Amino acid sequence: MAEHTIKMPDVGEGVAEAELVEWHVKIGDPVREDMVLAAVMTDKATVEIPSPVEGEISWLGAEIGDVVAVGAPLIRIKTGGEGLEEESSKEVTPTPNPSPQGGGEPETASPKAENASTDEAAAPAQSKAKAPTPPSPLWGGIKGGGSSLSTGAPRPEGEKPLASPAVRLRAKEAGIDLRQVAGSGPAGRIGHEDLDAFLSAGRSTSAPRGMSRNTEITEVKVVGLRRKIAEKMALAKRSIPHITYVEEIDVTALEELRAAMNASKKPDQPKLTILPFLMRAMAKAIGEQPEINAIFDDEAGIIRQHGGIHIGIAAQTPTGLVVPVARHVEARDIWDCGAEVGRLAEAAKSGTASREELSGSTITITSLGAMGGIVTTPVINHPEVAIVGVNKMMMRPVWDGTQFIPRKMMNLSSSFDHRVIDGWDAARFIQRVKALLETPALIFVGD
């Protein structure tokens, strides 16, 4: 009986380590060739590690949340061949899934993963891993509570279904037991289309819980995307002295124009929200104040002002906060901005956004839509120097000099890096955006 060792693969772009965010197997599990064994996350992508051989899991070299160095032993599989141990004759090709959030400081590689190449390290790790490894809170599988209906035959007891992290999260939110879903992909892998087929067949819902006292305490380990978000938010608040400026905007005329443009739009044109108008207003205001569209390199003490306006659109997805980027807004008209916002929103929601689409912003817009509240205090997307926050729109009485009239009002809550943007300049920028939004025809002048 031979033993096959799988090492942490080189995921490219100079990445020296990756965080283990999910185990798909446990010790003693049988595995097939190309079956996904684990998922790891770098600053830019989630990568699935497939099995190059068929056999049985004999050793796992890390726990969820560990940061493992590239080249460190990660998994050992007993195969049917002869000999004590063999290295992979096939190159393990990781399968990337773009990660919605970059940033964060690299962590020290796990000693367990670095030192697990010796037999002395393997023995204690093997005994420790005899208990089933729990799934990651972010990417974990579903435990019961799913539908009794199925689009195919249920899997045998104990066999874990194959699915990407995005599919698992979608199933978890829908209360679907993936063991009841038939996969149409290689080796029975479940895709989004299989979930669609399962949902179209209908499913049962669990009975509502009674009004009994609940004393449960659930511990959720902060790993993967949630940890990247936490690290980046902490970095931004720790290193950037924020100043937040709030201004009230009368968007009555803008809403009338938006409704008229949507009513007369061509079939191939997108339905316009307020974001494309805000993007164009920001682009015009940045043309007059280029220092707002900048990146501050803390370590080098250099401010890099960008000619290209690359606006990040902060968006909430099932996996957490992501910031897809609309590039070169200075060269896009209203309709192009609207189409790009829609495309990026769909890519972020489905988890298909590329690394390039999730990095490289020079200024960010954040909006909570109808839940936006009256005022927010946005956190700057480090290393940028400004972020514009959209609050909810409300009908309010406004005094016009002789009487109160109903007007559609909306607040902008915007934060700036006070190290490089003075309060006066921050206010001047927002006042220019306000003027453009309140007289929306000005947005189109010069386009």
Side-chain angles (χ1 to χ4, degrees):
M1 181 72 70
E3 195 167 56
H4 187 97
T5 300
I6 298 175
K7 297 181 178 181
M8 174 65 74
D10 183 356
V11 295
E13 297 191 3
V15 174
E17 59 190 14
E19 179 188 353
L20 178 66
V21 295
E22 182 180 16
W23 279 122
H24 290 263
V25 294
K26 60 182 182 295
I27 291 178
D29 280 357
V31 296
R32 301 183 299 274
E33 188 173 347
D34 295 328
M35 177 178 173
V36 176
L37 305 176
V40 298
M41 176 178 280
T42 68
D43 285 347
K44 297 296 182 183
T46 300
V47 176
E48 293 180 339
I49 299 178
S51 174
V53 297
E54 182 174 333
E56 179 182 308
I57 299 295
S58 61
W59 176 80
L60 302 178
E63 295 181 355
I64 291 173
D66 284 351
V67 179
V68 184
V70 170
L74 186 63
I75 305 166
R76 287 182 182 153
I77 301 174
K78 291 181 181 178
T79 63
E82 296 181 355
L84 295 177
E85 183 172 345
E86 60 179 26
E87 295 294 336
S88 176
S89 59
K90 298 182 181 180
E91 181 180 353
V92 177
T93 304
T95 304
N97 286 318
S99 171
Q101 181 75 25
E105 300 168 355
E107 302 208 9
T108 304
S110 166
K112 180 189 300 181
E114 292 179 348
N115 301 329
S117 60
T118 64
D119 292 336
E120 291 79 5
Q126 189 171 3
S127 62
K128 182 177 180 180
K130 285 183 179 178
T133 303
S136 161
L138 285 178
W139 311 112
I142 310 303
K143 294 185 177 180
S147 168
S148 59
L149 298 175
S150 173
T151 59
R155 286 168 175 75
E157 185 68 25
E159 181 179 341
K160 188 169 184 178
L162 303 181
S164 69
V167 170
R168 292 180 183 279
L169 281 170
R170 182 182 169 196
K172 183 177 182 180
E173 290 186 339
I176 298 173
D177 185 350
L178 283 178
R179 292 172 298 181
Q180 302 297 321
V181 181
S184 59
R189 186 178 181 82
I190 300 170
H192 287 284
E193 64 279 5
D194 299 315
L195 287 184
D196 292 337
F198 182 86
L199 289 169
S200 66
R203 65 182 182 88
S204 61
T205 57
S206 57
R209 299 183 61 179
M211 297 180 64
S212 59
R213 296 177 63 180
N214 189 336
T215 58
E216 294 180 1
I217 298 176
T218 302
E219 293 186 356
V220 179
K221 192 170 184 179
V222 181
V223 300
L225 176 59
R226 189 74 261 166
R227 182 156 78 178
K228 298 298 181 187
I229 294 173
E231 289 173 348
K232 192 158 189 179
M233 292 299 101
L235 175 63
K237 292 297 288 185
R238 182 173 63 248
S239 61
I240 301 176
H242 285 56
I243 175 175
T244 300
Y245 179 85
V246 182
E247 181 57 279
E248 190 175 51
I249 314 292
D250 185 340
V251 292
T252 307
L254 175 60
E255 282 297 281
E256 291 173 354
L257 175 62
R258 186 173 71 87
M261 293 179 70
N262 280 331
S264 61
K265 73 180 184 67
K266 298 176 182 178
D268 61 340
Q269 290 178 321
K271 183 177 180 180
L272 296 174
T273 65
I274 197 170
L275 286 183
F277 294 91
L278 178 58
M279 293 165 68
R280 287 300 306 151
M282 288 171 58
K284 283 186 171 290
I286 286 170
E288 300 168 12
Q289 288 181 263
E291 71 273 12
I292 301 293
N293 189 54
I295 299 297
F296 184 25
D297 188 333
D298 304 64
E299 295 185 1
I302 296 174
I303 301 170
R304 295 186 174 91
Q305 294 182 9
H306 288 251
I309 301 173
H310 310 311
I311 299 182
I313 311 293
Q316 190 67 32
T317 72
T319 58
L321 180 67
V322 301
V323 187
V325 182
R327 298 184 181 278
H328 289 291
V329 173
E330 78 279 2
R332 298 179 183 270
D333 62 17
I334 287 286
W335 296 107
D336 196 8
C337 285
E340 184 67 356
V341 167
R343 186 188 71 81
L344 290 171
E346 180 58 32
K349 183 178 179 181
S350 63
T352 60
S354 67
R355 299 181 185 184
E356 290 73 21
E357 290 170 331
L358 295 166
S359 61
S361 57
T362 55
I363 189 170
T364 295
I365 295 174
T366 178
S367 171
L368 292 175
M371 294 179 62
I374 298 174
V375 173
T376 52
T377 55
V379 177
I380 296 171
N381 186 19
H382 182 275
E384 298 166 19
V385 300
I387 184 170
V388 176
V390 180
N391 297 119
K392 66 182 177 182
M393 194 181 302
M394 294 188 294
M395 187 70 74
R396 301 176 191 166
V398 177
W399 182 255
D400 69 350
T402 58
Q403 61 181 341
F404 284 102
I405 56 175
R407 305 292 290 180
K408 289 183 178 179
M409 307 298 293
M410 179 188 75
N411 288 349
L412 289 183
S413 300
S414 306
S415 296
F416 301 84
D417 187 337
H418 216 343
R419 296 172 300 178
V420 296
I421 304 295
D422 295 332
W424 175 268
D425 293 323
R428 186 160 65 95
F429 174 72
I430 295 301
Q431 288 298 326
R432 178 57 174 154
V433 172
K434 171 186 171 75
L436 291 166
L437 293 178
E438 290 189 337
T439 310
L442 295 176
I443 295 176
F444 298 89
V445 174
D447 283 355

